[in-house]
Structures are given as structure tokens and as C-alpha cells.
């Protein structure tokens, strides 16, 4: 079993007086991946960050389980891979150094190099991030979200800034991972959402 | 992608590995763009040289020398330590840290980095001070011990204060404002103890060293308790 079960119970989020979303309930598992869709500002990214434990919900709880055991909330983020547009890297470091910083063990470092190669960045492995294009950074983010062989993968607009080849590689990665990992994608790309078995439409 | 068998890793070892990875990252970033180090070193050098020139070869009193030494150290701490967390927030890299490490690992790696960084800075300040400012040091052993323990107290307090200030929209202005009342007791004690080490050949073990270490330990304990709340606040 390589995935975790994420159970959301009545999740609501307010910023000040404004309610972004209310009473969201779902259960994501390796056999039940979820796409979160909705217009800009509907709270897709916020919901993903709540699932990852980066933000607190105004109401409701998220429960993380693996093999029937509940994981403590404060350690659950160790089991996530998260791709987010908010993610920024250090311009002074190279891709190899970012991989070393993120990789939790030597196997993860090897996997990082494999993913970087698959995503067409091997020639830029020792180049500083400051010289990367936005598309190259997005490819690096994809590699980093998978590097530690996470139990759950949270992807926020994963194909943003990718060219046709990049999108093709990413979709093939996703198709391979969906049966084994717990995947939640925030997207408005129909072909990405269609790969998931469940859907949460925010702002509707 | 090859699936590897998961191994049990004890929590402490996990934390240790996270700290080492973050510490290496901070060292690499600082070495690639050593702006902070250069700015603080320039400040230390220019302050001591300016003081030496202004005194016009007249020997300055021990208390005044101690005052100059610790004011230079204090303002160097203000300039360098404030960056530890504010830079992460300004660059947007704090989110990256949230994703890859626990709050304890983030705090401890920053604290270790700041302490090492500040010891280097203080080494530069001390060397410049001894070279340019004329005067004797009666008790070398205690002078260096006071400088070292006082420096650790400044680094420990500045790290948590930087984390608090980083969460504010007016972070650069806020840091010196909240730092002054907390660092003032260290500064006053350090000035008096250092002045005595300059003039007293038979100086007894200064109680200020115990004060600095106890202050650092108390602040470290409080920081460990409050940092996760500061770090995870939205």
C-alpha cells in the first residue's frame, strides 16, 4: 500500500467575514483521486494548502490515515508531495542543490536525478535556478513533488507554463501514479480533471 | 518510478537530517551571495577606523572602548540577524521551507546558522577593534569569553525576534523596535564586563558570562515553545 487516505470533514474557510468555501467533505485514497475545480478565487489553492496542513480551516477537520492508522497532523506533511504556484526557490542554488535540500535520503536523491532526466532537465542540473525559465521551474516543481516517493501528491495547476512536450510527460507520470498514490489536483484543465475518479467543484 | 521499501527512521534522527539539509542550504546561499557578510564586515571596519581617526591618537578610556566594541557588535547583529527570516518571507521561499521541513528543523537550522555566522562577524569586529582602537586588554581569557557568550546571547535572541518580525508587513522597521528592549540587558552587562576585562589583571570569573548563557538558554526554551505558532500563523 503506497497511498494514504485523506478524509475531509465539513471543511470551511473564511478570510475575515468572507466565506471562501463551506462544508467540504471528501475521502481521497489511491483508488479515489480527486480533482478540485472552480473559477479563480474560488479557493482551490487554499483548500489544497489546508489539506497539506499549511493553513488551518476555519471549521472542520482533516484526518490522515495509513493502513487504518491515523497519522498525527503535525507529521502528516512528511508524507506529502506538493506542487504549488506559490513555491519559490533560491536563485543562487542549482537544481542539484535544490534536489539535495528536498531529498530525505540517498534513494530520494537518485530518484530526483531520474525525474529531472525524464523531465528533460538533466543538461541544466548544475545550472542556477535564477537562470531557469518559468517552464523549466515548473518541471523542477513536478520532479520535487515526487522526489521523496510521497504517499499523497497534491498538485495545484500542475501543467501551468508547460509546453506540449512537458504536458505529455506530466500526464504520463500522472497516469502511472494514480493507481498507487493518493492524488488531489486543483485544476481547470479538463484533461487533468478527467484522470481523477472524483471531483469537487468550488464556487458553484 | 522505482518504489523503495520504507524504513523506520526515529523522530530525532529525522529532525537531525532536516536540520543538516537546511543548514547546508543556508550556507550555500550565503556563500554564493555574501552580501550580508560583506556589508557587516564593512560596517565593523568603517566604524572602528572612523573611531580611531576621530580619537586622533589619544587613548580612549576603557569604558568608552567597551561601549564602542559592543555598539558595533549590536548594530552588526541588527543588520545581519534580521535577515534570517525576513529574507525568506520577502523572497517567498518561506513556503518552500514549510513544505520540506518541520518548524523545529527550520528554527534550529536558522539558530545554528545565525550563531556560526555571528561568531564569524564577531571575529571580524574583534580583530578590527583590537587592530585599530588603541588600548590594553588586561584579561584576554575573560574578554574573549564575554565576547563569545554575549555574542551567543545576541544571536539566540535575534533569531526568534527575526521570526516574529518576519510575520509583520513592516518587518524591517519592526525588528529593531522589538529587539532593543530585549537586547538592552545583554548590552549593558556586556559593556560593563568587557570594560573590567580591559583594566583588571586579576579579574575574577565574571557573573555576566553565566547571565548570558542563562539568558540564551531561557530564550531558546521559550523560542522552541512559541516558534511553531509563529511559523504556522497565516
Amino acid at each position: 500500500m503506497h497511498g494514504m487516505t485523506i478524509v475531509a470533514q465539513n471543511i470551511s474557510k473564511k478570510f475575515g467575514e468572507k466565506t471562501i468555501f463551506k462544508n467540504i467533505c471528501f475521502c481521497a485514497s489511491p483508488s479515489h483521486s480527486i480533482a478540485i475545480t472552480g473559477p479563480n478565487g474560488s479557493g482551490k489553492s487554499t483548500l489544497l494548502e489546508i489539506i497539506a496542513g499549511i493553513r488551518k480551516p476555519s471549521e472542520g477537520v482533516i484526518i490522515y490515515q495509513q493502513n487504518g492508522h491515523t497519522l498525527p497532523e503535525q507529521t502528516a506533511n512528511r508524507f506529502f508531495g506538493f506542487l504549488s504556484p506559490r513555491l519559490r526557490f533560491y536563485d543562487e542554488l542549482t537544481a542539484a542543490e535544490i534536489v539535495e535540500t528536498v531529498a530525505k535520503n540517498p534513494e530520494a536523491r537518485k530518484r530526483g536525478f531520474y525525474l529531472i532526466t525524464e523531465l528533460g532537465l538533466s543538461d541544466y542540473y548544475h545550472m542556477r535556478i535564477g537562470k531557469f525559465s518559468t517552464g523549466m521551474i515548473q518541471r523542477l516543481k513536478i520532479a520535487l513533488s515526487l522526489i521523496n516517493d510521497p504517499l499523497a501528491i497534491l498538485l495545484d495547476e500542475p501543467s501551468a507554463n508547460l509546453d506540449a512536450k512537458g504536458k505529455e510527460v506530466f500526464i504520463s507520470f500522472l497516469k502511472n501514479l494514480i493507481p498507487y498514490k493518493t492524488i488531489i489536483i486543483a485544476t481547470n484543465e479538463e484533461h487533468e480533471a478527467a484522470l481523477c475518479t472524483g471531483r469537487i467543484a468550488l464556487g458553484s | 518510478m522505482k518504489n523503495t521499501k520504507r524504513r523506520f527512521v526515529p523522530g530525532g534522527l529525522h529532525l537531525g537530517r532536516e536540520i543538516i539539509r537546511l543548514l547546508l542550504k543556508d550556507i550555500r546561499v550565503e556563500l554564493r551571495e555574501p552580501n550580508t557578510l560583506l556589508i557587516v564586515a564593512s560596517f565593523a571596519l568603517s566604524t572602528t577606523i572612523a573611531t580611531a581617526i576621530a580619537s586622533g591618537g589619544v587613548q580612549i578610556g576603557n569604558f568608552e572602548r567597551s561601549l564602542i566594541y559592543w555598539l558595533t557588535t549590536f548594530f552588526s547583529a541588527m543588520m545581519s540577524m534580521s535577515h534570517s527570516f525576513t529574507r525568506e518571507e520577502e523572497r517567498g521561499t518561506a513556503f518552500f521551507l514549510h513544505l520540506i521541513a518541520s518548524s523545529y528543523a527550520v528554527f534550529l537550522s536558522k539558530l545554528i546558522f545565525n550563531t556560526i555566522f555571528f561568531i564569524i562577524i564577531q571575529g571580524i569586529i574583534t580583530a578590527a577593534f583590537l587592530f585599530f582602537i588603541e588600548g590594553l586588554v588586561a584579561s584576554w581569557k575573560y574578554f574573549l569569553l564575554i565576547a563569545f557568550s554575549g555574542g551567543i546571547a545576541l544571536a539566540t535572541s535575534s533569531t526568534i525576534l527575526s521570526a516574529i518580525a518576519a510575520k509583520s508587513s513592516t518587518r524591517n522597521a519592526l525588528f529593531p523596535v522589538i529587539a532593543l528592549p530585549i537586547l538592552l540587558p545583554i548590552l549593558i552587562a556586556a559593556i560593563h564586563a568587557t570594560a573590567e576585562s580591559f583594566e583588571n589583571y586579576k579579574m575574577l570569573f565574571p557573573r555576566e558570562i553565566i547571565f548570558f548563557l542563562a539568558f540564551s538558554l531561557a530564550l531558546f526554551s521559550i523560542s522552541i515553545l512559541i516558534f511553531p505558532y509563529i511559523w504556522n500563523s497565516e
Side-chain angles (χ1 to χ4, degrees):
Chain A
M1 177 95 173
H2 297 293
M4 76 197 292
T5 303
I6 301 170
V7 183
Q9 295 176 340
N10 298 313
I11 299 295
S12 303
K13 184 67 183 176
K14 282 181 181 178
F15 286 122
E17 289 299 303
K18 187 175 166 56
T19 301
I20 308 297
F21 48 76
K22 206 174 169 184
N23 295 332
I24 303 287
C25 296
F26 64 83
C27 176
S29 65
S31 57
H32 190 59
S33 52
I34 287 177
I36 303 169
T37 59
N40 295 341
S42 58
K44 298 188 293 295
S45 301
T46 305
L47 181 55
L48 268 191
E49 289 175 15
I50 289 172
I51 296 166
I54 294 166
R55 284 182 190 271
K56 297 270 178 253
S58 305
E59 285 170 35
V61 286
I62 304 272
I63 299 163
Y64 312 94
Q65 291 176 325
Q66 191 196 10
N67 299 330
H69 298 288
T70 300
L71 301 170
E73 194 189 340
Q74 58 272 32
T75 61
N77 68 348
R78 287 183 191 169
F79 308 107
F80 287 117
F82 195 173
L83 185 159
S84 164
R86 273 183 68 199
L87 193 57
R88 300 273 182 278
F89 301 119
Y90 301 86
D91 287 349
E92 301 88 346
L93 300 184
T94 65
E97 287 163 347
I98 292 284
V99 165
E100 272 182 42
T101 307
V102 178
K104 291 181 176 166
N105 51 48
E107 292 98 61
R109 274 201 287 275
K110 281 183 203 158
R111 193 181 301 110
F113 184 71
Y114 164 78
L115 289 163
I116 293 269
T117 309
E118 287 292 301
L119 286 158
L121 292 177
S122 56
D123 289 345
Y124 309 99
Y125 199 49
H126 296 288
M127 186 196 266
R128 287 193 189 188
I129 303 292
K131 292 178 182 170
F132 274 36
S133 69
T134 48
M136 287 159 77
I137 286 175
Q138 189 68 8
R139 286 171 189 236
L140 179 62
K141 286 181 185 179
I142 293 171
L144 294 177
S145 68
L146 305 175
I147 191 171
N148 286 311
D149 192 19
L151 297 173
I153 303 164
L154 309 177
L155 304 164
D156 189 357
E157 307 285 359
S159 58
N161 300 315
L162 289 182
D163 57 18
K165 174 75 182 158
K167 283 182 183 173
E168 197 182 297
V169 175
F170 169 68
I171 291 293
S172 87
F173 270 165
L174 203 55
K175 281 179 179 168
N176 285 334
L177 290 167
I178 274 184
Y180 308 106
K181 303 286 181 188
T182 305
I183 293 178
I184 304 176
I185 311 175
T187 184
N188 282 322
E189 298 283 337
E190 189 47 44
H191 66 281
E192 287 169 5
L195 293 170
C196 299
T197 49
R199 190 179 293 218
I200 299 165
L202 296 178
S204 58
Chain B
M1 196 174 20
K2 197 175 89 177
N3 276 316
T4 51
K5 197 177 172 185
R6 283 179 191 283
R7 283 177 302 184
F8 174 74
V9 179
L13 186 59
H14 196 96
L15 181 68
R17 284 179 182 172
E18 281 186 346
I19 293 169
I20 291 168
R21 286 190 281 129
L22 295 182
L23 196 56
L24 269 177
K25 181 270 297 173
D26 275 337
I27 292 169
R28 280 172 174 151
V29 169
E30 193 57 49
L31 288 178
R32 295 275 156 75
E33 303 281 338
N35 295 339
T36 313
L37 187 66
L38 292 176
I39 289 169
V40 176
S42 310
F43 170 76
L45 283 173
S46 53
T47 309
T48 45
I49 292 170
T51 311
I53 293 169
S55 65
V58 178
Q59 194 168 330
I60 308 168
N62 287 326
F63 186 79
E64 288 74 18
R65 282 168 61 217
S66 174
L67 194 66
I68 292 163
Y69 176 76
W70 279 103
L71 284 181
T72 312
T73 305
F74 173 75
F75 285 110
S76 301
M78 291 293 97
M79 281 197 287
S80 55
M81 300 293 110
S82 67
H83 291 296
S84 56
F85 282 102
T86 53
R87 195 163 59 175
E88 302 285 1
E89 292 290 343
E90 281 166 358
R91 289 172 151 200
T93 47
F95 188 75
F96 174 74
L97 297 180
H98 271 287
L99 293 182
I100 65 162
S102 68
S103 51
Y104 293 116
V106 172
F107 177 73
L108 291 171
S109 67
K110 288 284 181 200
L111 179 66
I112 296 167
F113 177 79
N114 279 352
T115 307
I116 296 169
F117 187 80
F118 198 65
I119 287 169
I120 295 169
I121 299 263
Q122 220 178 1
I124 296 169
I125 295 168
T126 308
F129 176 81
L130 294 172
F131 187 78
F132 291 110
I133 309 284
E134 203 179 329
L136 287 171
V137 179
S139 174
W140 275 98
K141 184 174 75 178
Y142 289 133
F143 167 64
L144 293 175
L145 266 176
I146 292 161
F148 182 72
S149 54
I152 286 176
L154 284 180
T156 314
S157 2
S158 304
T159 304
I160 189 66
L161 293 172
S162 164
I164 295 169
K167 288 290 175 185
S168 159
S169 55
T170 54
R171 50 185 75 99
N172 289 324
L174 185 65
F175 181 74
V177 174
I178 58 173
L180 187 67
I182 290 175
L183 301 184
L184 205 59
I186 304 171
L187 205 57
I188 293 169
I191 291 166
H192 285 285
T194 305
E196 198 188 342
S197 76
F198 286 158
E199 62 196 7
N200 191 350
Y201 285 94
K202 292 178 181 171
M203 188 180 179
L204 298 173
F205 183 82
R207 283 178 301 176
E208 284 84 353
I209 292 175
I210 305 288
F211 167 66
F212 296 146
L213 296 178
F215 188 94
S216 306
L217 191 66
L219 216 62
F220 172 76
S221 310
I222 294 166
S223 304
I224 284 289
L225 290 174
I226 65 169
F227 183 75
Y229 298 99
I230 298 167
W231 183 239
N232 294 319
S233 65
E234 289 176 25

